[in-house]
Amino acid sequence: MTSSARLLDLIWATPEIDLLLRSSFGFDIHRKHYGEGFRLASGAPLEVIAGESAGGAYFLCAEQNGRRPVVFASSEGQGGLLADDLAEALEIIIGLEWRDCLTFSGGGDVEIMQISAQHLERSRGKHNAGIGYEAAQVAAALSLRTVPVADLVVRLHAAASKTEPDYVVIYDDGQEFDPPFGEYVEPRHGGWR
């Protein structure tokens, strides 16, 4: 059994972890239907493993060097590589406001991503005071590492930067998803508060 399959089985078998991933971190293994019909531009198939409430989907790619990379495709048409395997993807998902970090990346500038991540981390704690405890629960239950935010940003940047050419997501009709990096450096109305 691959490590990805083992992790997914463990999530299915642990309802409280499944619930935390779904409700606090936007990784819902019950929403697999969201990503049907997507594939990589290379023609390689994608295996839907989870969705999120806004309509995005998480996929496993074909195994490479004993690992199965994870790709995310949003309902807004952005997509790309999230991590080199499911364990690393889950560490990013529970440890970082990763989607907003990519949105406010200044087109993929890791220094801007670091600044954004710090602002997002403060906001995350304000809106859910228990998020750190919840992340620690998930990490412990799934034998994941608790990685500092700055290191997660570096890992996210490195993965997203490898999206082209091998991890570009396309629709059945051949239309490509936009790259994962957004052009913004901060929210447009009021900036970071």
Side-chain angles (χ1 to χ4, degrees):
M1 178 181 293
T2 67
S3 63
S4 297
R6 183 188 56 76
L7 277 170
L8 291 169
D9 285 350
L10 190 53
I11 294 167
W12 278 106
T14 317
E16 60 274 10
I17 297 304
D18 173 23
L19 178 61
L20 281 175
L21 282 168
R22 184 175 352 134
S23 61
S24 295
F25 302 106
F27 186 87
D28 187 348
I29 59 175
H30 305 276
R31 291 183 185 253
K32 290 185 182 183
H33 61 281
Y34 277 16
E36 293 175 354
F38 297 158
R39 60 184 164 82
L40 294 178
S42 66
L46 292 169
E47 177 188 345
V48 182
I49 56 169
E52 47 98 38
S53 61
Y58 296 90
F59 304 90
L60 285 176
C61 301
E63 188 173 317
Q64 298 175 5
N65 302 319
R67 300 171 87 184
R68 294 191 68 189
V70 176
V71 168
F72 179 81
S74 77
S75 60
E76 294 86 29
Q78 294 88 26
L81 185 65
L82 177 57
D84 289 331
D85 66 24
L86 184 56
E88 286 186 8
L90 288 169
E91 288 168 359
I92 288 170
I93 291 165
I94 67 171
L96 179 66
E97 290 291 329
W98 68 273
R99 291 205 46 210
D100 286 339
C101 191
L102 286 172
T103 298
F104 301 109
S105 69
D109 184 315
V110 73
E111 290 179 20
I112 292 173
M113 289 176 71
Q114 291 287 4
I115 293 165
S116 296
Q118 295 308 313
H119 289 288
L120 292 162
E121 186 68 11
R122 282 194 297 276
S123 176
R124 178 166 120 149
K126 285 181 192 173
H127 291 94
N128 182 352
I131 195 77
Y133 175 73
E134 292 172 348
Q137 276 186 286
V138 172
L142 300 179
S143 299
L144 303 173
R145 296 170 290 176
T146 303
V147 181
V149 168
D151 294 344
L152 290 173
V153 169
V154 169
R155 285 171 39 183
L156 176 61
H157 180 268
S161 295
K162 295 189 299 187
T163 293
E164 293 186 46
D166 297 328
Y167 298 101
V168 174
V169 179
I170 63 171
Y171 296 101
D172 270 343
D173 65 5
Q175 182 181 355
E176 291 186 1
F177 277 65
D178 292 331
F181 294 117
E183 296 298 321
Y184 302 111
V185 294
E186 64 182 36
R188 287 183 278 180
H189 302 290
W192 297 114
R193 296 176 196 218

